[in-house]
Amino acid sequence: NAGVTQTPKFQVLKTGQSMTLQCAQDMNHEYMSWYRQDPGMGLRLIHYSVGAGITDQGEVPNGYNVSRSTTEDFPLRLLSAAPSQTSVYFCASSSPRGDRGRDGYTFGSGTRLTVV
Amino acid sequence: AQRVTQPEKLLSVFKGAPVELKCNYSYSGSPELFWYVQYSRQRLQLLLRHISRESIKGFTADLNKGETSFHLKKPFAQEEDSAMYYCALSGGSGTYKYIFGTGTRLKVLA
């Protein structure tokens, strides 16, 4: 049981480049989300999805796109990378039924992105 | 406004000393409160849920609805407790979205 898998672990981009951060979970979780982690700012929600075909914006969605074509996968796309997007990105998923919102998140190991 | 506040960015204690990491929240309903821990360069892990009333790695946290607090406590700190700790809130059953605090870095000194 792999849990939540994120790739790549590290990435350096040039300003203006685009890329996709991959996230996959094998726990049949309905809910998946993307956070960015910045010093002194904690975790900020970028986008989230409550099921296949359904996505919504979080607190800091600008410059990012998501899609949810399957329950397992929730990729995050950077459209045109900017230095302000230098951050650590975490994908998370949570339990679909019963104690929704009570079981907590399972996090991926993170992607450390640097935009130069 | 819904908010989670962790007033301390850094907390340093000596090994064997008691630890209290503060968390205050603002929420209009009946939230579920959590503590997450992140060891150096690792993924965040769920440490505690208030509904479980459990003790994990010697840590406990009590939800005080009157003071809207959910402070994390441990009577005797260990060096391996050094990590980043995040307090988080969810709206409970049927709600997926979480609100995280800005985190407190705990350093346990030898």
Side-chain angles (χ1 to χ4, degrees):
Chain A
N1 189 341
V4 178
T5 303
Q6 285 184 241
T7 55
K9 292 190 182 300
F10 302 94
Q11 184 70 50
V12 178
L13 289 178
K14 293 183 178 179
T15 298
Q17 286 185 317
S18 62
M19 80 159 294
T20 300
L21 307 185
Q22 301 291 344
C23 176
Q25 54 91 9
D26 60 0
M27 298 170 286
N28 196 31
H29 284 175
E30 286 181 355
Y31 183 75
M32 297 185 74
S33 57
W34 277 101
Y35 286 87
R36 59 178 289 173
Q37 182 185 42
D38 300 291
M41 305 191 76
L43 291 159
R44 292 183 292 169
L45 181 64
I46 304 171
H47 285 285
Y48 65 97
S49 169
V50 298
I54 305 170
T55 63
D56 206 348
Q57 296 181 351
E59 182 184 355
V60 288
N62 293 340
Y64 308 95
N65 272 358
V66 292
S67 60
R68 186 91 179 271
S69 57
T70 66
T71 299
E72 294 77 20
D73 300 301
F74 191 46
L76 177 72
R77 279 181 280 277
L78 278 71
L79 309 173
S80 178
S84 60
Q85 294 179 304
T86 294
S87 187
V88 180
Y89 291 84
F90 286 99
C91 179
S93 69
S94 67
S95 181
R97 293 180 177 81
D99 290 335
R100 289 181 184 180
R102 291 184 167 185
D103 285 348
Y105 284 169
T106 299
F107 279 88
S109 57
T111 295
R112 191 171 293 271
L113 176 68
T114 302
V115 182
V116 297
Chain B
Q2 300 173 8
R3 185 182 299 121
V4 175
T5 302
Q6 293 180 251
E8 303 141 329
K9 287 188 177 181
L10 173 65
L11 181 64
S12 296
V13 301
F14 285 102
K15 178 181 174 181
V19 172
E20 184 179 51
L21 301 171
K22 291 184 167 51
C23 172
N24 290 91
Y25 66 90
S26 173
Y27 191 78
S28 57
S30 296
E32 305 287 349
L33 274 296
F34 304 82
W35 277 99
Y36 284 83
V37 60
Q38 185 181 27
Y39 300 103
S40 180
R41 302 250 172 179
Q42 294 187 24
R43 70 185 70 197
L44 280 84
Q45 306 169 36
L46 179 63
L47 181 63
L48 286 177
R49 302 173 293 170
H50 92 266
I51 61 167
S52 301
R53 297 183 180 278
E54 56 203 345
S55 173
I56 304 294
K57 299 184 180 182
F59 285 98
T60 59
D62 291 319
L63 179 61
N64 186 323
K65 294 184 178 181
E67 296 182 358
T68 60
S69 68
F70 187 56
H71 302 328
L72 183 68
K73 300 177 183 179
K74 184 170 184 177
F76 307 103
Q78 303 298 316
E79 289 183 73
E80 55 265 29
D81 296 328
S82 295
M84 194 75 176
Y85 291 82
Y86 290 95
C87 183
L89 169 158
S90 92
S93 183
T95 303
Y96 287 108
K97 289 175 69 174
Y98 284 64
I99 301 169
F100 282 86
T102 52
T104 298
R105 180 167 300 281
L106 174 65
K107 284 190 177 180
V108 181
L109 308 171

